[in-house]
Amino acid sequence: MTSTDRHQPKAKVMILLLVALAVAALLSPWASSSPDGLERVAEDLGFMYLAEGAPLLEGWMPDYLFPGLPHEGLATSLAGVIGTLVTLGATWGLGKLITLPRR
Amino acid sequence: MHIPDGFLDAKTWLGAAALSGAAVGYGLKKTGEALQDRQIPVLGVLGAFIFAAQMVNFPVGGGTSGHLLGAALATALLGPWSATLILTTVLIIQAIFFADGGITALGANVLNMAVIAPMAAHCVYRLLGGVRPLSVFLGSWCSVIAAATATALELALAGAVPLPAVLTAMVGWHLLIGIGEGLVTCAVVAFVSRSGLLPSASPYENGEGKIA
């Protein structure tokens, strides 16, 4: 890396990507399994049953678990890393796409 | 607070989808005009970070958890309409790949978390005149309360549950979750601005304009 590289915005922004990947890979398996605010309210007020039955779309990795991996922490990490990279691609691509017309 | 399939009736999810569709369309136009080329990578990594952070539920006591929403974070760094696009993308990916949030409820989830939450944060930043620790904390907290209130209104409109009960319960839990949102958002905004990761000034530094 030359001295000018360190001032490249893209290179600096990549640090945040590394943080994101670390959060997805290392922190996500430690997430609280308690219901979130809405789930808690739905349980307390007795309307959780409305969501019972299969969702209309099953999803590739329901519950943020990569399918077929026996180790739950590893399955969560892998699902997190894939989701993070897919989101990176989608938002970056969207940014490129919407700024195209003014070129 | 991702609403699953089944909580909302057809009129509510169709209505919410129409509203959020219009807002996202406007956001695409607005951001397309104002987003600087060097901000595009920021849009990408911020999306990636918000997806990752949303996976990490933190306990808020009483057997309940919350997770970062990220709307106030994206708004502080890029403005409300970029935040709308980032959060919408995250919500679509969550619904399609992870079955987090119902596909019928997607419009409502976008309305609450990708449209109303960034707007609430934006109003606070404008009102308090900038992105400083106090305004970031209050903006984050308000964004969570606003999204929770909208969720409660939709659930009541759909006839799932009476309004007073659901509004009290949703706002009550999210008063706590909003504190977590505020703390995490303040930490990340401080980290990003101190490390000089952002290739441009905050959209709130120069007063008017630059709200992508």
Side-chain angles (χ1 to χ4, degrees):
Chain A
M1 183 188 270
T2 67
S3 62
T4 48
D5 284 340
R6 273 187 278 122
H7 301 289
Q8 290 293 313
K10 272 187 196 176
K12 285 187 169 182
V13 158
M14 284 307 127
I15 298 173
L16 193 59
L17 176 62
L18 290 180
V19 175
L21 287 171
V23 169
L26 305 176
L27 280 186
S28 69
W30 300 97
S32 165
S33 54
S34 294
D36 75 0
L38 175 60
E39 287 162 359
R40 177 59 191 264
V41 169
E43 284 168 12
D44 286 353
L45 300 183
F47 64 92
M48 200 62 189
Y49 73 94
L50 289 173
E52 272 163 24
L56 279 152
L57 205 64
E58 282 287 355
W60 175 30
M61 293 171 266
D63 292 324
Y64 296 91
L65 291 169
F66 189 84
L69 277 184
H71 189 284
E72 196 175 306
L74 215 60
T76 306
S77 288
L78 190 55
V81 168
I82 293 171
T84 303
L85 292 175
V86 169
T87 312
L88 173 78
T91 40
W92 197 318
L94 182 67
K96 286 265 182 212
L97 212 65
I98 57 176
T99 51
L100 271 184
R102 60 171 200 236
R103 271 162 228 262
Chain B
M1 65 184 95
H2 297 58
I3 303 173
D5 286 320
F7 276 10
L8 301 179
D9 63 350
K11 78 169 183 312
T12 310
W13 66 254
L14 283 169
L19 283 176
S20 58
V24 170
Y26 184 73
L28 286 168
K29 184 175 164 289
K30 245 343 228 175
T31 310
E33 289 164 1
L35 195 72
Q36 299 162 32
D37 285 348
R38 58 212 180 112
Q39 287 177 318
I40 294 172
V42 184
L43 198 80
V45 292
L46 210 49
F49 178 79
I50 289 170
F51 174 87
Q54 285 206 359
M55 280 184 75
V56 187
N57 283 55
F58 49 83
V60 294
T64 304
S65 74
H67 62 71
L68 188 80
L69 219 167
L73 173 63
T75 303
L77 300 179
L78 289 170
W81 293 111
S82 293
T84 295
L85 299 190
I86 290 173
L87 267 295
T88 301
T89 308
V90 168
L91 288 165
I92 291 171
I93 288 168
Q94 287 171 333
I96 292 178
F97 291 102
F98 301 96
D100 190 12
I103 200 78
T104 56
L106 184 59
N109 285 325
V110 167
L111 186 64
N112 303 335
M113 291 184 268
V115 179
I116 291 172
M119 266 316 138
H122 172 64
C123 289
V124 174
Y125 299 153
R126 267 297 171 85
L127 221 66
L128 298 184
V131 173
R132 278 178 282 277
L134 180 68
S135 62
V136 171
F137 184 84
L138 285 176
S140 309
W141 191 73
C142 288
S143 72
V144 172
I145 305 296
T149 303
T151 305
L153 291 175
E154 287 150 14
L155 291 168
L157 188 68
V161 59
L163 181 63
V166 72
L167 193 61
T168 316
M170 277 301 282
V171 172
W173 283 113
H174 287 87
L175 291 172
L176 291 174
I177 295 169
I179 296 173
E181 180 87 20
L183 295 176
V184 177
T185 307
C186 280
V188 178
V189 170
F191 171 74
V192 169
S193 39
R194 264 186 222 161
S195 54
L197 293 176
L198 207 59
S200 64
S202 151
Y204 298 93
E205 288 308 301
N206 306 326
E208 301 300 310
K210 278 184 64 187
I211 303 298

